[in-house]
Amino acid sequence: SGEGISLTYAELQHEVRNVASGLMALGIEPGEVVSVQLPNGLEYVLSYLGITYYGAVMSTLYLPHREAEMANIMAHARTRALICLDTQGDFSPGETALALKRNGTLPDLTEIIVVGEPNDGTRNFATLLDTKPTELPSPVAADPMLLLYTSGTTAGPKGVPHNAHTLLSNTRLGIPEHAVTPEDRFLSVAPFGHLFGQYSLHLAWCAGAETHLMATFTPPAFAETIETERPTVVFAAPAQLSACVASGAFAGRDFSSVRMVITAGSAVPAELVAAVNEVLPNGAVCQLWGMTETQAGSYTRHDDPPEVAGRSAGRPSPGTQARTVADDGSPLLPGQECELQ
């Protein structure tokens, strides 16, 4: 739900089949890559599920990516189609991709589908929704479904392929650890272009829970949405939570519906955890550590003491092993920095 639209799972499946049929009609075959650069709105959800519904592969582009990043990632992925906004401020992803296609940088790109106003050489996303459903292939769990790229903070971005085995098994085993039920309502302002934001979708879908969509983050809008939409599980990056605390956006708000705020992406100061916990009368902050290669690697549990989430990323997720390694292999000293594997 969100953006004034509410869909049941049955209604969502109908829309997803239309998108999948539309992509097939454009010649995008199972196993081929469709890149997606969209905010956390309904079109993102429909794109993700529509692409993977019949065995095509979704690859995400972060919203801040511009020409250089788009060219490198889409060329490496051999992207056949791009789904994006018509404009992001003064930037046009569709026109940029079209130029890269025409100058030969993206020789595999055949379709550019925009949410908004198309121009010569691009298509409107609405044409996918208007496609009559057709007979579609049925992928199996071992087929690739996502091609994600690492952030490139320590080296060049690496492509990480995932199938349903790797992602949804990790999700399914995480549901009891997070105590997620079909009655939960998720809200993520962590971008869906990152696997952390996608994890909120995976949990909701695997549990049959509800997801409220919020496409644009600002501290006041985030606080207002929590108060009015009454989510039970909230996903947010530490920087987003810090901005809300620093601006006073959380002050005086009724966050009694929230039982868990999951945060990940960078180290979380203990004082930030404490500040958010103060506005959660019935919930607590959970800290998560993961990688593009693993999804949720470790996390604190919803019933851990508050001080645990303030100083750690919890225990490994089921089926996961973790270790800390010093650069020279020697025993770790208190406070020593190390690599978490």
Side-chain angles (χ1 to χ4, degrees), residues 70-276:
M70 293 172 68
N72 289 336
I73 291 174
M74 292 170 66
H76 185 272
R78 298 179 181 176
T79 294
R80 285 292 315 282
L82 169 67
I83 302 176
C84 60
L85 296 175
D86 57 349
T87 59
Q88 294 184 49
D90 59 357
F91 173 65
S92 173
E95 290 183 5
T96 299
L98 190 59
L100 292 170
K101 172 186 173 182
R102 287 172 172 167
N103 69 20
T105 302
L106 300 176
D108 298 291
L109 183 66
T110 59
E111 299 291 341
I112 300 168
I113 302 158
V114 300
V115 176
E117 292 298 323
N119 54 26
D120 186 29
T122 67
R123 298 178 185 270
N124 194 314
F125 185 82
T127 61
L128 300 181
L129 296 174
D130 293 337
T131 305
K132 182 179 179 180
T134 58
E135 193 70 27
L136 294 165
S138 297
V140 299
D143 291 337
M145 60 180 285
L146 281 175
L147 176 60
L148 303 177
Y149 283 82
T150 57
S151 60
T153 53
T154 57
K158 301 183 292 292
V160 180
H162 280 290
N163 59 25
H165 284 310
T166 58
L167 287 183
L168 301 187
S169 293
N170 176 264
T171 303
R172 177 177 57 81
L173 294 171
I175 286 174
E177 300 297 308
H178 299 300
V180 174
T181 74
E183 284 68 47
D184 274 311
R185 190 178 203 194
F186 283 75
L187 170 65
S188 176
V189 288
F192 293 157
H194 298 251
L195 188 50
F196 174 51
Q198 288 173 16
Y199 185 49
S200 73
L201 294 176
H202 298 158
L203 285 171
W205 294 340
C206 285
E210 182 178 346
T211 295
H212 183 83
L213 300 173
M214 181 178 174
T216 304
F217 167 80
T218 65
F222 182 36
E224 177 72 18
T225 300
I226 296 175
E227 189 169 50
T228 59
E229 299 299 332
R230 312 295 291 168
T232 59
V233 182
V234 174
F235 275 60
Q240 293 171 319
L241 295 175
S242 181
C244 291
V245 171
S247 66
F250 286 167
R253 294 288 190 174
D254 176 10
F255 291 170
S256 58
S257 68
V258 179
R259 64 176 186 83
M260 184 166 54
V261 172
I262 300 180
T263 188
S266 61
V268 186
E271 56 270 23
L272 177 60
V273 173
V276 177

